[in-house]
Amino acid sequence: WKEYQNPKKAKEIDDEKIKEWFYNRKENIAIVCGEASNNVIVIDFDDWGLYEKFLKLLEQKYTAYKSIIDNTRKEKSGKGAHIFLRLKIINETDKEYLRTQKQFVNKVDILGNGSIVVVAPSIHKSGVKYELIPPINNPIQEISIDSFKVFL
């Protein structure tokens, strides 16, 4: 997957390549995070309870940002949840926020450049199916660096 971190290489993927990867096979699906996916980052909670605490904290203290999370793509993962956001990059300095931060806090990673995230309808190694969290038609919300800093 590393070759697809290059945005130019990622754009070369066409319908034929996708059919080759998945036709009559049971493969998982992943998104390459960071610049290769037009600045998609993922807040990866490895524990469902932590995800729920995060949502409650937004509701109690950061109500202005709650709508961003309510209206972006989210999914239940094998152990927790993923929140997908697209960072609005204005200058080279902003790209610093696209870096992956493993164990940002205990059991929470920020996935960016150099990372992939397994997505629905994939199957986790535990046998749990990745599922979108309703509403399932939410697009990935674009968010400014200043707004993203609130989540950090």
Side-chain angles (χ1 to χ4, degrees):
W1 63 270
K2 289 189 183 255
E3 67 185 291
Y4 297 107
Q5 290 182 56
N6 178 326
K8 290 178 186 173
K9 184 71 175 172
K11 288 180 182 177
E12 294 174 8
I13 300 171
D14 59 11
D15 289 347
E16 289 304 313
K17 187 66 163 171
I18 293 170
K19 286 178 188 173
E20 175 187 323
W21 287 339
F22 295 104
Y23 185 72
N24 283 334
R25 296 170 67 183
K26 294 185 184 207
E27 302 289 342
N28 283 338
I29 301 169
I31 294 174
V32 178
C33 300
E35 289 181 79
S37 57
N38 197 19
N39 306 325
V40 169
I41 57 103
V42 176
I43 305 173
D44 179 10
F45 296 86
D46 285 338
D47 179 283
W48 183 259
L50 287 175
Y51 169 72
E52 290 179 322
K53 285 180 183 178
F54 174 79
L55 295 180
K56 284 182 184 172
L57 181 65
L58 284 179
E59 196 170 303
Q60 294 168 355
K61 291 190 175 185
Y62 302 100
T63 54
Y65 299 98
K66 185 178 181 306
S67 68
I68 294 170
I69 301 304
D70 286 346
N71 293 306
T72 198
R73 179 187 174 111
K74 297 173 293 298
E75 68 180 14
K76 192 168 187 176
S77 66
K79 297 182 276 181
H82 297 147
I83 298 173
F84 296 79
L85 297 165
R86 184 178 312 281
L87 294 185
K88 188 174 188 176
I89 302 297
I90 296 174
N91 55 51
E92 286 298 312
T93 306
D94 289 349
K95 289 183 179 181
E96 160 191 345
Y97 292 95
L98 290 172
R99 76 183 189 287
T100 292
Q101 300 175 58
K102 294 289 187 173
Q103 292 297 308
F104 175 71
V105 294
N106 188 34
K107 296 188 178 185
V108 179
D109 300 327
I110 306 292
L111 304 177
N113 285 337
S115 293
I116 61 170
V117 61
V118 178
V119 297
S122 298
I123 307 292
H124 188 266
K125 62 184 174 186
S126 67
V128 174
K129 186 176 181 180
Y130 289 74
E131 296 179 0
L132 293 174
I133 295 171
I136 63 171
N137 59 346
N138 277 351
I140 297 174
Q141 293 294 305
E142 186 172 66
I143 162 178
S144 71
I145 296 300
D146 287 338
S147 293
F148 181 62
K149 287 177 185 177
V150 170
F151 301 123
L152 304 177

